[in-house]
Amino acid sequence: MKIIVLKFGGTSVGTTDRIKKVAKIIAKYKKKYNVIVLSSAMSGVTNNLINLSKKISKNFSDSEYDVLVSSGEQMSCALISGELINKGFNARSWMSWQIPINTEGKYKFSRINKINKNQIVNYLKKGGIPIITGFQGINNKNRITTIGRGGTDASAIMFAKFFNAEKCIIYTDVDGVYSTDPNKLKTAKKIKVISYEEMLEMASLGAKVMQPHSIQDARLNRVDIEVRSSFTDNEGTLITKRKNIINNKIITGISNTMNDAKVTLLGVRDKPGIAASIFKPLSENFINVDMVVQNISANGKETDLTFTIKSDDLSKTKRIILQNKKINFRDLIFDKNVSKVSIIGVGMVTTPGVTYRMFQSLARQKINIQVISTSEIKISVLIDKKNVRKAISSLHKEFQLNK
Ligand code: ASP
Ligand code: MG
């Protein structure tokens, strides 16, 4: 029998009623598969545990933090397993160290590097359903570790990899990935199939369905993921390799950011090394620079440089630039009222004219484009925040995403 990995997120196991629903879902798969279950903590529990650590100290020990915050998963796994036993199934819970799930790296941000399969394989052979704690592992010092917030996604992907599962199903509270934020556009459509690469672009741009780093793990290990809701029976979204996708759409999705800021330095000297002098101290301070444009200088001596950062980094960026003795400029301008709108799709690799269609569609709406950046499967423009809805809706139509 084939193996399937089911992952349940915090809201899916948020109450005992939800847990009873989860047990029903597991029972359904058990008819056809060997099922491995990974569960998050009940929603809110991990946050409460983190708050407790803060009440003890702002500098709470990292290793004890992992012991503390990983305890939520023990609770939910025991409850799921208990309910399955109630229903007459052969089920048991497993903590990461009992398996063990080995991790490497720092406390709070470890990575899974090995999963011991023996006990689980034997248990599956006997018809059992293992219910395993997500988010945690142990390191080579035999201490408990955690793998970053939302880490149960990554735990599930790694189980699917090591057990060569047919698929990893991520049960959450949304029923899939949409062509754009359904809260911004009513005609947003659920995407049936999306490639890892597109999903990564969607995730880092704000479609917060899965932890981006777990999608990267899935991509590297070629694990098929299905994202779906435990609250409805609707079909979800399949995340898979490009080869598996037969699709005539050029663009798969449109995403946008809401917390970007634009910085412009007017009248910087136009000579080698200046851009490096501006960005070096920013990178040393872990400020992530996203889009960059430099104007062609009119007189060969001076130019204007514009870039975007996260709004949270704005005051720090201001300070760093003003203190930078290596650069001269005439004026420094900041703008918090900007948003980056991106169209994403592997289809653009083979289709000419996509950039033109995007710009034309925005021009028709009289939306001014401030900065542009592109990658193989993405075109992003920076526009005034107040135009975001208008931009998304016209692009959604232009690339026929409501069909
Ligand atoms: N319970 C952990 C968290 O809230 C892990 C997870 O939900 O995946 O971050
Ligand atoms: Mg969670």
Side-chain angles (χ1 to χ4, degrees):
M1 239 200 295
K2 285 197 167 145
I3 293 178
I4 199 154
V5 173
L6 306 180
K7 179 257 170 175
F8 295 95
T11 46
S12 293
V13 295
T15 61
T16 46
D17 279 343
R18 295 307 316 162
I19 285 176
K20 286 180 182 163
K21 176 77 208 292
V22 159
K24 281 189 189 144
I25 294 173
I26 297 170
K28 199 183 80 198
Y29 284 99
K30 183 64 193 151
K31 288 182 191 148
K32 280 211 257 166
Y33 291 97
N34 275 316
V35 183
I36 299 177
V37 176
L38 270 292
S39 183
S40 300
M42 296 169 86
S43 55
V45 169
T46 311
N47 287 345
N48 288 341
L49 293 165
I50 292 172
N51 288 338
L52 289 177
S53 79
K54 286 184 186 153
K55 279 191 187 157
I56 295 287
S57 159
K58 270 198 194 123
N59 301 313
F60 196 84
S61 143
D62 285 351
S63 53
E64 293 308 333
Y65 172 99
D66 281 359
V67 178
L68 175 70
V69 305
S70 61
S71 63
E73 273 70 14
Q74 176 166 353
M75 224 168 109
S76 52
C77 285
L79 289 168
I80 298 170
S81 186
E83 168 65 4
L84 285 165
I85 293 167
N86 256 348
K87 288 166 83 84
F89 287 94
N90 182 13
R92 73 155 272 198
S93 59
W94 254 282
M95 304 279 291
S96 57
W97 55 268
Q98 295 174 306
I99 294 182
I101 299 170
N102 295 112
T103 64
E104 58 189 7
K106 286 195 208 118
Y107 292 108
K108 289 178 156 182
F109 303 104
S110 292
R111 302 284 306 250
I112 295 172
N113 57 6
K114 195 174 158 255
I115 296 170
N116 186 324
K117 291 168 63 174
N118 299 342
Q119 296 181 67
I120 303 296
V121 167
N122 286 336
Y123 191 62
L124 289 172
K125 274 189 193 146
K126 285 190 286 187
I129 310 174
I131 315 292
I132 300 162
T133 52
F135 183 46
Q136 52 167 279
I138 56 166
N139 63 16
N140 58 9
K141 297 195 183 89
N142 206 19
R143 304 265 347 232
I144 288 181
T145 55
T146 61
I147 59 172
R149 292 305 307 272
T152 308
D153 285 344
S155 305
I157 301 290
M158 291 317 260
F159 267 83
K161 173 200 163 178
F162 279 99
F163 285 82
N164 216 346
E166 181 174 295
K167 205 180 345 182
C168 177
I169 306 187
I170 305 283
Y171 273 98
T172 174
D173 49 11
V174 294
D175 64 356
V177 185
Y178 279 75
S179 57
T180 194
D181 183 351
N183 296 318
K184 289 217 170 66
L185 191 70
K186 279 213 191 82
T187 51
K189 273 225 126 172
K190 199 190 303 162
I191 299 169
K192 284 202 177 110
V193 204
I194 186 171
S195 66
Y196 302 114
E197 290 81 6
E198 290 167 316
M199 184 62 195
L200 275 166
E201 295 285 7
M202 298 281 280
S204 60
L205 292 167
K208 294 188 189 69
V209 182
M210 269 183 82
Q211 193 203 35
H213 147 155
S214 66
I215 299 162
Q216 184 64 4
D217 285 343
R219 186 177 80 87
L220 292 173
N221 297 301
R222 306 276 119 181
V223 172
D224 278 355
I225 311 171
E226 186 185 334
V227 180
R228 60 187 302 161
S229 167
S230 65
F231 293 75
T232 68
D233 290 329
N234 299 349
E235 244 185 75
T237 299
L238 178 68
I239 308 168
T240 186
K241 52 177 179 258
R242 283 193 208 184
K243 265 203 189 144
N244 294 345
I245 304 179
I246 326 155
N247 192 344
N248 45 15
K249 284 218 163 70
I250 302 165
I251 299 303
T252 308
I254 304 171
S255 70
N256 77 285
T257 60
M258 269 316 195
N259 49 359
D260 282 341
K262 185 179 73 167
V263 181
T264 304
L265 284 89
L266 289 177
V268 236
R269 300 251 312 272
D270 192 14
K271 64 166 207 191
I274 292 297
S277 318
I278 296 171
F279 293 124
K280 189 176 169 216
L282 295 179
S283 84
E284 283 167 353
N285 283 282
F286 303 104
I287 292 169
N288 210 344
V289 174
D290 184 15
M291 308 171 97
V292 184
V293 273
Q294 185 186 321
N295 286 344
I296 296 172
S297 77
N299 54 11
K301 288 183 195 133
E302 278 190 344
T303 179
D304 304 334
L305 187 87
T306 296
F307 58 90
T308 63
I309 49 170
K310 290 280 151 255
S311 322
D312 285 348
D313 290 332
L314 193 52
S315 45
K316 210 164 145 197
T317 301
K318 213 178 211 168
R319 207 175 52 237
I320 292 169
I321 292 179
L322 291 172
Q323 284 169 356
N324 191 341
K325 298 223 167 64
K326 291 209 173 113
I327 51 170
N328 292 302
F329 48 86
R330 216 175 333 110
D331 208 355
L332 186 59
I333 307 170
F334 300 100
D335 188 355
K336 271 191 157 187
N337 294 316
V338 290
S339 172
K340 182 170 80 167
V341 173
S342 308
I343 57 173
I344 295 145
V346 292
M348 69 173 76
V349 178
T350 48
T351 316
V354 179
T355 317
Y356 162 71
R357 279 173 68 186
M358 179 183 200
F359 295 173
Q360 178 188 250
S361 157
L362 295 173
R364 275 199 208 110
Q365 302 296 321
K366 307 223 168 359
I367 296 171
N368 185 38
I369 300 172
Q370 305 179 15
V371 185
I372 302 160
S373 73
T374 61
S375 75
E376 196 197 11
I377 62 163
K378 180 183 80 175
I379 306 169
S380 306
V381 293
L382 194 72
I383 60 172
D384 195 316
K385 227 180 223 171
K386 69 170 196 275
N387 290 326
V388 167
R389 272 170 201 267
K390 222 168 42 176
I392 290 178
S393 132
S394 77
L395 294 169
H396 206 262
K397 255 203 218 115
E398 173 67 35
F399 294 101
Q400 298 175 350
L401 290 180
N402 22 0
K403 296 230 170 94

